[in-house]
Amino acid sequence: MGYGIYIGEAIIETGLEYGDNDLYSTVEEVEVEDAPYWDDRVDVSGKTNSIHPSYTAFSHFLEESNLKDLFMNEEYGLMRNHPGEAVIQNKDYELIREVRINRQNKYPNNEAGWGEGKDSILARLMWFEFWFKWALDNCSVPTIRNI
C-alpha cells in the first residue's frame, strides 16, 4: 500500500450525474517530455505527473529530506488530509529546490535513482521540484492530490 500523488491542474467535477450535489476534485494527468525519468524507477510513472511511493518509502523520504512539515503538518501540510488536495505555492517549490540543492552539495557524487548505490531521496526531490515548478508555470490552480 502507498500513496498515489498527482501534481498539476485541479479539475472540479460535480456529483450531479451520480445523484448528489457534492464537488469532487482531481488532477489532470499529463506527460512532459523533459520530466525527470530513471530507467530504474520504482514509483515514478514514466514522465507523468504521478508518483506512487509506499507509505514506508515516503515516510523515509520525508524524514531524510526534512520535509515532513511541508507535506504532513496537521495545520498546513500539503498532504495533511489523505486522501486530499492542496494548492501548491511558490514557497513550497522554493523549499524543495533548496533542499535538493543542499543534498547535492552535501553528497556531490550521489546519482539520483533507485538502483544499487543510487540516491532515491535525491530522485524524489528532483521529481517534486520539476513538477511543482511545472504546475506553478502551467496551471491556473497548481494542485497536489494524494489518494
Side-chain angles (χ1 to χ4, degrees):
M1 294 293 299
Y3 293 102
I5 301 170
Y6 301 81
I7 296 172
E9 184 67 63
I11 306 294
I12 307 299
E13 301 171 347
T14 70
L16 296 175
E17 65 186 81
Y18 306 109
D20 65 48
N21 63 350
D22 293 336
L23 287 176
Y24 301 93
S25 63
T26 189
V27 167
E28 179 179 28
E29 192 163 356
V30 297
E31 185 170 325
V32 174
E33 183 58 36
D34 58 344
Y37 174 83
W38 297 268
D39 286 334
D40 61 348
R41 71 195 188 278
V42 171
D43 53 27
V44 175
S45 296
K47 294 185 175 194
T48 70
N49 58 334
S50 67
I51 191 169
H52 305 274
S54 69
Y55 293 131
T56 302
F58 197 65
S59 178
H60 176 71
F61 164 72
L62 294 180
E63 293 296 328
E64 284 292 314
S65 63
N66 202 27
L67 290 172
K68 191 170 183 177
D69 266 359
L70 175 66
F71 286 94
M72 299 299 185
N73 182 285
E74 290 182 13
E75 293 179 25
Y76 58 80
L78 296 173
M79 291 175 50
R80 66 188 176 275
N81 297 317
H82 177 61
E85 300 82 16
V87 174
I88 297 168
Q89 300 177 59
N90 195 62
K91 66 182 177 118
D92 305 325
Y93 162 75
E94 291 295 338
L95 177 59
I96 288 176
R97 182 175 184 278
E98 177 183 340
V99 170
R100 192 260 312 150
I101 290 169
N102 289 342
R103 185 163 187 94
Q104 286 183 309
N105 288 338
K106 186 174 181 180
Y107 305 106
N109 297 321
N110 282 15
E111 181 182 349
W114 280 266
E116 182 69 30
K118 294 192 180 171
D119 188 341
S120 65
I121 305 303
L122 179 59
R124 285 189 180 95
L125 287 168
M126 292 170 71
W127 187 89
F128 277 106
E129 180 182 6
F130 176 88
W131 284 107
F132 274 37
K133 178 70 170 147
W134 183 90
L136 289 163
D137 289 347
N138 294 283
C139 301
S140 59
V141 183
T143 301
I144 181 169
R145 179 176 192 237
N146 76 88
I147 54 173

